[in-house]
Amino acid sequence: MPYFLNNQEDQQAMLAAIGATSIDDLLESIPDSMRLKRPLDMRPPMSELELTQHMEQLAQRNAQGTKHRCFLGGGSYDHFIPSVVDAIATRAEFYTSYTPYQPEVSQGNLQAMFEYQTLICQLTGMDVSNASLYDGGSATIEAVLLSMSVTRRHRKVITTTSLHPEYRQVIQTYLANLDAELVTIPTAGGRLEPSALSAELDDQVACVLIQHPNFFGNLEPVDGIAEQVHQAGALLVSVFDPISLGILRRPGDLGVDVAVAEGQSLGNPMQFGGPYLGIMACRERFVRRLPGRIAGQTVDRRGRRCWVLTLQTREQHIRRDKATSNICTNQGLFALRAAIYLSWMGPHGLQETATLCTQKAHYAAQRITERDRYNLKFAAPMFKEFVIQDKQGQVEQALKKAHAGGCLAGIALGRWYPELKDCFLVAVTEKRTLEEIDQLADCLPD
Amino acid sequence: MSNTHAAPLLFELSKPGRRSSQLPRCDVPQIALDQLLPAEALADVPPPLPELAEPDIVRHFTNLSTMNMSVDTHFYPLGSCTMKYNPKRNERLASLPGWLDIHPYQPDPTIQGLLRLLYDLQADLAEISGLPEVTLQPAAGAHGELTALMVAAEYFRDLGQQRGKVLTPDTAHGTNPASARMAGFETLTVRSTATGCVDMDDLRSKLDDQTAVFMITNPNTLGLFDSQVQEIADLVHHQGGLIYLDGANMNAILGITRPGDFGADMMHFNPHKTFSGPHGGGGPGAGPICVTAELGPYLPVPIVKKQTEDTGADIFSLDYDRPKSIGRVRSFFGNVGVLIRAYCYIRTHGASGLLAVSQNAILNANYLLGRIKHFLAVPHGDRCMHEFVASAEALKHDKGLKQPAMDIAKRLIDLGFHPPTVYFPLTVHDALMIEPTETESKETLDAFAEALFHVTGESAEMLREAPHTTVISRPNEVLAARHPTLKWSPDA
């Protein structure tokens, strides 16, 4: 085995030193009746060369970006990743270290976490950020749990059908064990009608979750929603798209209490859904209820500025069953990637990226709807994604044809929305060129 | 070469007009943004991110990296975390474009290579655990625990049983009771005996028909295999409850014994530990769980399934049609990048290699224990599995140290070693939890033991002030918690 260092002689010397004759001697505490009496039933070991050939063969059976144009979104996007992200994040001092339990030998990770937290606050306009959670869905449920804890309302949470259906499923899975109800307001027009929210808001509601831009790509009418929600004594949780904040008003400027997001777009590959990172930021006054790792600034014994994991009395290793959450780790490496990405983009790069997405998405929507068979489903303003209605109601056939023509044209919505079974969701990032968008419009069938 | 000057923050390097990003010109017909989007939605200015040129960014983060200890640079015997070598081939093979550039909603026929890999990984984990049904969805070990407890809750609901209690031993990871709470259970703590195993009398007194799950870590956090585990399982099963095995310490038992064979009904793996990670400065991990056939229907959706066609070709697909499923515990499929690395690790080793992993991990730990017990107490005996817990309590009296384990840990840094886990488990006073892993040599273990011996003989002054050689001395953690400064601000 390539990863073991001790040869037989070493092993014998070590056994002799501890007074054992074989490794089996060391296993006395495992009763014979529990021992596995046969080898594990697994395929034989592979050399690096064999493994490489095997993995390349498997990977080639996937149709990745070089084989088609990706217009899929729905929470995971084909944005550009600058070279510096991989160049830095593949440094072994970052990826082979662990949670910075010993700050003196982890200042690199801790400072990067602190910088990540600052960048997220700058991006969102929120007061404080943690050092990241698992992904967008888990950040969303953690925002719900935080809201329940802050408001001491444990029975009711409101959202809309325009929130990512998988995030809603996650919330439902968690709430099933906590005896709380998720009220989902329909969004027939592709976004929330503020009057529909008034009808549901009462003094039992812990929080209102609004995704903006929403799952359909539409902007929600967020202006004034915060006041409405706060009047009912509830918190406003926004699920945002990090790239959109290059041009859209920030959650912190809209009166949002907790802002969460899927951080994949910030320099992370799509890789079939993970690992990603969950972004979570909130108002200062909720910081002691914020789940996950947090880095804080302090000084060392000689008065030098430095960083540590802080507010650990919130966490499971201290509080056990009274902790704010069971979460143990953050997505350190992916938070690092996000920090590098945001530093590289800067304010203007992010603004230009967001603008390109919007311009290209609108162009794509126009080109597709020039075809008689396709309509824009919703009239609401949209950022980089939009819903196309197939008048023939043959979404599967349309997407198959488009794929044969070289494009993953969109995500069929029928699996989550029976009422939208004639619709699909199209996403356009800054990576898609004019030619690719024209190709998309042309490869959809008549 | 380490750059020992404290690095300024990114924000302090920022200068108006500097930038790294250069984007392509817009090649589609442009329309003014305020004609596309409502004015009230648009920001007047972009977010106030720092303005940096690319060379600045690269030097900044490269210098930061050199301030970390890591597995590639240092012996890292952080107990319970299994900081083994992270094979380079796994990194390279997990980064093939065929894995990175695929979207989570691509149709199944376009991802047959990945689905085959994931299906085979499910089967391998089932074989290693002795539990046939597997979900790869959870994002981390603690997330796996939570998922399994939700599965248990749903199972009992389906049976029409109201069971509100989860029992955990006092040596358990803090995530166990925290996860139980999040799944809606009350938790009760079961005491350990002086030998570090579950106190059976205490267990019997707390176990009843309200008990849903007993969560056990075996080998436990003291590095001991609790040989009562089968008896515990029988007791719990007799009351209709389930056994959850915290798989944090699977590195000790691969191919030796299987949780499914000693009574566990559910367990999680920590692929970032057992199957070589890497740990990524705190993540990502993954937390796949394996359960009995009886609990399989309740696992989250989707599961990867295989159908063999008449032609003999295998077709893989994602199965969402599982009516008893608890639903989802996260968005998308799972931490695929971590799972691919685990697959590479398992395929590299095969059955004989995995067995050798555990055997060597156990040998290394016992050898180190044998060297250390002569100068530091190891309260739970002369033998261990893959890790052991020493106690520095004696140094409290001998040297007048308040936190002797912490002081030793800090001083070890000066001698070139990442410290063990300290002050966990809570049942051992001034605990030093040491896990060498199988990817270390006898020479390294000898050097570590000698360094530790040297440190225990040093003056209180030397220890209290350690570390002496790092970029910073000990941080003021009380100040950090009392006056939280959690971001940089321009006027600070």
Side-chain angles (χ1 to χ4, degrees), chain A residues 85-213:
Chain A
V85 175
D86 281 320
I88 295 166
T90 55
R91 285 190 68 88
E93 298 94 325
F94 283 127
Y95 80 80
T96 75
S97 57
Y98 197 30
T99 304
Y101 295 116
Q102 298 290 342
E104 297 87 347
V105 292
S106 312
Q107 283 300 297
N109 282 335
L110 284 162
Q111 185 173 335
M113 281 165 75
F114 183 80
E115 291 176 336
Y116 164 85
Q117 291 167 196
T118 305
L119 288 162
I120 294 302
C121 291
Q122 294 174 335
L123 180 70
T124 59
M126 302 301 290
D127 299 328
V128 291
S129 163
N130 67 12
S132 78
L133 299 170
Y134 306 138
D135 71 343
S138 58
T140 304
I141 179 61
E142 290 291 342
V144 169
L145 299 174
L146 180 148
S147 302
M148 290 177 156
S149 154
V150 164
T151 59
R152 300 184 188 199
R153 296 175 177 183
H154 296 279
R155 291 290 164 260
K156 189 170 163 188
V157 171
I158 294 180
T159 191
T160 66
T161 51
S162 55
L163 172 66
H164 196 304
E166 291 193 353
Y167 295 12
R168 284 186 278 129
Q169 288 170 351
V170 174
I171 297 170
Q172 240 140 6
T173 303
Y174 278 64
L175 294 190
N177 298 299
L178 302 175
D179 200 18
E181 177 197 9
L182 176 67
V183 176
T184 310
I185 301 175
T187 50
R191 59 179 188 159
L192 175 70
E193 282 300 326
S195 58
L197 179 58
S198 324
E200 290 292 349
L201 266 176
D202 59 33
D203 63 2
Q204 297 297 302
V205 177
C207 65
V208 176
L209 291 132
I210 306 277
Q211 185 175 357
H212 166 71

Side-chain angles (χ1 to χ4, degrees), chain A residues 41 54 298 301 305 330, chain B residues 12 127 282 332 343 464 476:
Chain A
D41 181 11
H54 168 69
T298 184
R301 286 181 177 174
R305 178 174 71 174
N330 68 329
Chain B
E12 295 159 348
E127 169 65 6
F332 307 125
Y343 176 86
R464 259 197 299 260
N476 186 337

Side-chain angles (χ1 to χ4, degrees), chain B residues 472-489:
Chain B
I472 59 157
S473 59
R474 288 193 210 185
N476 186 337
E477 304 203 12
V478 175
L479 176 73
R482 287 227 178 109
H483 304 283
T485 303
L486 309 178
K487 65 177 177 188
W488 173 85
S489 57

Side-chain angles (χ1 to χ4, degrees), chain A residues 37-89:
Chain A
K37 300 283 174 22
R38 58 168 176 83
L40 287 169
D41 181 11
M42 311 190 78
R43 289 154 299 175
M46 283 176 140
S47 65
E48 179 170 1
L49 176 56
E50 289 165 306
L51 182 68
T52 303
Q53 289 163 340
H54 168 69
M55 292 296 282
E56 281 171 351
Q57 233 171 35
L58 280 180
Q60 275 162 14
R61 292 214 206 142
N62 298 328
Q64 84 270 19
T66 49
K67 296 180 190 160
H68 54 238
R69 310 287 154 245
C70 181
F71 290 92
L72 307 184
S76 175
Y77 301 96
D78 186 22
H79 285 291
F80 178 67
I81 302 174
S83 310
V84 290
V85 175
D86 281 320
I88 295 166

